[in-house]
Amino acid sequence: RKEVEQDPGPFNVPEGATVAFNCTYSNSASQSFFWYRQDCRKEPKLLMSVYSSGNEDGRFTAQLNRASQYISLLIRDSKLSDSATYLCVAQGWAGNMLTFGGGTRLMVKP
Amino acid sequence: EAGVTQFPSHSVIEKGQTVTLRCDPISGHDNLYWYRRVMGKEIKFLLHFVKESKQDESGMPNNRFLAERTGGTYSTLKVQPAELEDSGVYFCASSQDPRTGINTEAFFGQGTRLTVV
């Protein structure tokens, strides 16, 4: 079983739609969680950190449920430029290695 | 400020040959990591340097892979001899030491796409 599991998609949505991605992790010792975005043939880039209290950054909302070992990302009012692969990432402690999910591909269509 | 840079961006080598990948981290970042993504799989950790010391090399697949970070600056990852299954994208990342830096975000280089034929 993978340590971080994601639905690979693709999720095909029209512009303006709301889309949600989910992720589960198996290592209960994981302390920190992130969503990274990766464009085709590019490097992963940090989109946002994920906190138990939930956090929002513009159109993006992330949520962590430690009891269920479940992480989510909600994207509102999807833009064409949101098309990318979204990577769910867990970390043991600050500075420790990152454990990646396989990524969820999002395609936003006009 | 320059980001994490990797060289080469692409490499095509024959099975049995040697390849050396280079990573220049962001200046001042003590942590340096190597990751790899092989076709159809998730990005996986290879190893972690803190300055010039190997902090964790649990992800290194076998002894054909050798990583160094002499002087605690740039790092090299050598594959010798290369096998077909080594093909993939090799990413390097760097971050500040959480004991001294406020922002411990890991920044990734653009990767080296290695193809072994």
Side-chain angles (χ1 to χ4, degrees):
Chain A
R1 183 186 172 190
K2 293 180 184 176
E3 280 198 52
V4 179
E5 296 259 20
Q6 295 181 251
D7 180 345
F11 284 60
N12 295 297
V13 303
E15 271 188 289
T18 295
V19 61
F21 304 141
N22 304 317
C23 160
T24 57
Y25 63 95
S26 60
N27 187 350
S28 58
S30 298
Q31 296 293 314
S32 302
F33 303 90
F34 311 92
W35 283 101
Y36 274 72
R37 170 193 168 128
Q38 185 175 25
D39 293 289
C40 189
R41 293 184 172 262
K42 298 286 189 181
E43 74 275 21
K45 290 186 178 178
L46 179 65
L47 178 65
M48 58 197 303
S49 300
V50 188
Y51 305 112
S52 296
S53 53
N55 48 302
E56 189 174 306
D57 183 1
R59 298 181 293 108
F60 298 83
T61 302
Q63 188 76 51
L64 165 65
N65 183 321
R66 286 190 186 274
S68 302
Q69 296 186 191
Y70 173 95
I71 301 157
S72 64
L73 176 68
L74 184 77
I75 305 176
R76 291 179 299 278
D77 188 23
S78 299
K79 311 290 184 192
L80 295 176
S81 57
D82 293 334
S83 297
T85 296
Y86 291 81
L87 303 167
C88 180
V89 182
Q91 185 180 41
W93 59 87
N96 191 221
M97 69 177 195
L98 302 176
T99 301
F100 287 82
T104 299
R105 190 169 172 209
L106 171 66
M107 297 178 68
V108 182
K109 311 238 178 207
Chain B
E1 180 184 332
V4 178
T5 56
Q6 292 187 244
F7 182 84
S9 57
H10 293 82
S11 180
V12 180
I13 62 171
E14 291 185 351
K15 176 182 171 180
Q17 288 186 321
T18 298
V19 63
T20 300
L21 314 181
R22 173 171 169 145
C23 169
D24 285 77
I26 292 172
S27 177
H29 281 191
D30 289 338
N31 289 306
L32 187 149
Y33 312 83
W34 283 99
Y35 292 86
R36 173 173 79 167
R37 184 169 204 161
V38 297
M39 182 72 75
K41 300 280 190 179
E42 68 274 17
I43 296 171
K44 282 200 169 175
F45 167 79
L46 295 178
L47 89 160
H48 171 201
F49 284 100
V50 177
K51 295 185 180 178
E52 68 275 8
S53 299
K54 290 177 185 174
Q55 179 76 15
D56 181 356
E57 51 185 328
S58 61
M60 294 287 262
N62 52 61
N63 60 9
R64 296 185 294 103
F65 289 74
L66 175 64
E68 294 181 324
R69 191 182 183 195
T70 307
T73 54
Y74 71 91
S75 175
T76 58
L77 179 64
K78 182 161 72 173
V79 185
Q80 178 183 31
E83 298 290 343
L84 299 178
E85 65 263 26
D86 300 332
S87 296
V89 182
Y90 289 77
F91 290 106
C92 175
S94 72
S95 69
Q96 287 186 316
D97 185 334
R99 292 168 295 180
T100 58
I102 297 173
N103 180 4
T104 59
E105 176 184 345
F107 294 86
F108 283 77
Q110 288 209 328
T112 294
R113 187 170 295 274
L114 175 65
T115 303
V116 183
V117 297

